[in-house]
Amino acid sequence: MFRQNADLKDFNFGYYFGAYQLNYKLNYNELLGGKSSPGTNPAAYDVKEIIFEPQTGFGVGFITELRLANFIDLRFEPGYLYGRTNIDFNSIVVSSLYQGQDVTLQLKQSMLYLPLLIKLSSARFDNFRPFVVAGISKSVRLGAKNDEVRQGIIDLRSNINQLEIGIGVDLYLPYFKFTPAIRAIYGRENELLIDDSDPLHWSRRIVEEGVTRRGLKNRGVFFVLTFE
């Protein structure tokens, strides 16, 4: 068995990198209706769905781990995430500037990533130790507004709160501990900023206003490789 005392230290440190996909879930305004039902006017109720297509980005960061008990650790993993999402408005009128145009864009986001996680591990089996991890995180967008924001298409909050859950396995090697894991990231609040200056803007017509728990919320998947 390699590194038999690795999990007995009060503090552990390491780093990670991995592949990241950023997607979105949109709650449509209930006043717009849904798919038309028999006996209704289809033109008045049909709403075309905005299409989100996540592209693969990346993430890197550092790990500080505090041992709380034999099978419980508290982890702080500050890092950097870069994600891309293609958005097709699917012939929906985006704003008064884009009437009659089918708008598509690639939303690129650079984020400071601040997760605080609880790691629950099983008993060690030879050089393997499965675990689950859960907690909260905050993503803070970095840099200036992108071109899509300047053109009045989309604007997002500068920081968002998230929930995380994941699974993985610690692999004990002769000189370090290697850990592949996968985590799901769920945005807790609406991060779309409403454009009140344009009555035709899609953020006013499509998205449910005034409800912080609804609207546009991110959904991320992070496949991460850890070295400790």
Side-chain angles (χ1 to χ4, degrees):
M1 293 178 64
F2 299 126
R3 301 183 59 79
Q4 297 183 39
N5 298 322
D7 297 324
L8 301 180
K9 300 178 182 178
D10 290 334
F11 287 95
N12 285 312
F13 303 94
Y15 64 93
Y16 64 88
F17 64 88
Y20 177 63
Q21 279 200 339
L22 177 63
N23 202 355
Y24 284 97
K25 176 184 177 182
L26 177 61
N27 297 115
Y28 293 88
N29 191 335
E30 293 180 0
L31 297 178
L32 294 174
K35 295 183 178 180
S36 58
S37 57
T40 62
N41 180 1
Y45 291 92
D46 278 350
V47 178
K48 293 183 178 180
E49 183 178 3
I50 296 175
I51 300 172
F52 298 94
E53 298 178 345
Q55 308 296 306
T56 300
F58 66 90
V60 294
F62 298 95
I63 298 167
T64 300
E65 182 181 79
L66 172 63
R67 180 173 178 262
L68 301 179
N70 285 338
F71 303 102
I72 306 175
D73 301 286
L74 178 66
R75 296 168 68 93
F76 179 54
E77 303 182 0
Y80 169 80
L81 294 180
Y82 174 78
R84 298 176 297 162
T85 307
N86 293 337
I87 305 177
D88 184 353
F89 287 89
N90 199 15
S91 300
I92 291 174
V93 176
V94 173
S95 69
S96 57
L97 297 176
Y98 295 92
Q99 295 189 56
Q101 301 182 38
D102 187 5
V103 177
T104 61
L105 63 87
Q106 184 177 81
L107 183 63
K108 302 177 182 179
Q109 301 188 69
S110 299
M111 295 173 287
L112 177 64
Y113 176 54
L114 302 171
L116 184 63
L117 307 170
I118 293 290
K119 179 181 177 183
L120 303 177
S121 303
S122 74
R124 178 171 171 172
F125 304 98
D126 195 14
N127 288 315
F128 302 88
R129 195 180 195 190
F131 66 87
V132 296
V133 65
I136 59 175
S137 65
K138 179 180 285 290
S139 292
V140 181
R141 291 187 171 86
L142 304 175
K145 300 287 187 179
N146 55 34
D147 291 338
E148 291 79 15
V149 173
R150 296 192 189 98
Q151 295 169 8
I153 297 177
I154 188 171
D155 196 1
L156 302 174
R157 300 182 188 277
S158 59
N159 62 82
I160 52 176
N161 298 312
Q162 301 154 147
L163 298 175
E164 301 200 18
I165 188 170
I167 58 173
V169 58
D170 290 327
L171 306 177
Y172 297 84
L173 303 179
Y175 299 106
F176 59 89
K177 184 169 66 175
F178 171 64
T179 305
I182 187 168
R183 299 211 295 256
I185 303 175
Y186 299 90
R188 297 178 55 199
E189 54 201 1
N190 176 29
E191 58 184 280
L192 179 68
L193 295 176
I194 305 299
D195 188 342
D196 293 323
S197 63
D198 185 356
L200 292 181
H201 199 274
W202 72 276
S203 64
R204 291 191 61 185
R205 298 180 297 106
I206 300 296
V207 181
E208 187 173 11
E209 294 188 63
V211 182
T212 58
R213 297 299 181 183
R214 296 178 63 82
L216 185 70
K217 295 188 286 188
N218 71 327
R219 296 289 186 265
V221 176
F222 192 14
F223 178 73
V224 57
L225 302 176
T226 299
F227 299 84
E228 299 178 55

